[in-house]
Amino acid sequence: MKKKILIVEDQMIHRFMLKRFLEVNNFHVEVASNGIDAMEQLNLENIPDVIVTDLNMPYMDGYQFLKMLRENKVTSQVPVIAISALDFLSNDELNGYFFDHCITKPFKLEHLRIEIMQVIED
């Protein structure tokens, strides 16, 4: 059975590129354009194996999204990989919440695939 990944990315071209790359690598991929859209998709019947999120997004950024995920008992244990061109906040600045992995843009798609496999296999 294919592992399910939720991509949360506001840039349409990046969403498409990540979705296509991961589908070719045998993942089931769903997408959201921001944290609000992603939270609306998540429910007991639709929990991904891993979430890959951009940090700088409109309406609800990746940090706010992480906080909501971790505070919700249904999604609190879902691994989250953050992608950003900006510096990452420390765990202290995130009020004790954490990303499972952080990738700085620009990055190679193969690096993302490896990070996803590590998170899924943990």
Side-chain angles (χ1 to χ4, degrees), residues 17-28:
M17 176 191 60
L18 292 170
K19 182 178 185 350
R20 184 72 183 120
F21 173 77
L22 293 170
E23 286 174 340
V24 166
N25 280 276
N26 207 32
F27 293 102
H28 173 80

Side-chain angles (χ1 to χ4, degrees), residues 8-116:
V8 187
E9 168 63 60
D10 63 316
Q11 299 293 320
M12 185 175 61
I13 189 73
H14 294 157
R15 275 195 316 271
F16 176 79
M17 176 191 60
L18 292 170
K19 182 178 185 350
R20 184 72 183 120
F21 173 77
L22 293 170
E23 286 174 340
V24 166
N25 280 276
N26 207 32
F27 293 102
H28 173 80
V29 181
E30 295 184 7
V31 296
S33 60
N34 59 61
I36 293 171
D37 184 24
M39 289 305 296
E40 289 173 357
Q41 292 183 39
L42 296 171
N43 58 54
L44 283 174
E45 293 81 37
N46 190 28
I47 301 296
D49 296 293
V50 63
I51 296 171
V52 177
T53 186
D54 188 18
L55 295 183
N56 188 19
M57 299 180 290
Y59 311 114
M60 179 187 289
D61 67 23
Y63 299 110
Q64 295 163 324
F65 177 57
L66 176 71
K67 184 176 188 294
M68 286 190 72
L69 283 173
R70 296 299 188 233
E71 290 176 348
N72 182 329
K73 69 178 184 176
V74 173
T75 60
S76 65
Q77 299 303 311
V78 176
V80 181
I81 297 172
I83 298 174
S84 182
L86 308 172
D87 290 334
F88 293 96
L89 295 178
S90 71
N91 286 341
D92 290 338
E93 292 172 298
L94 291 171
N95 296 319
Y97 299 110
F98 64 93
F99 293 103
D100 295 272
H101 287 273
C102 298
I103 299 174
T104 304
K105 292 178 183 177
F107 63 93
K108 295 183 190 262
L109 291 172
E110 181 60 17
H111 179 223
L112 175 62
R113 188 192 68 77
I114 291 168
E115 294 284 337
I116 289 170

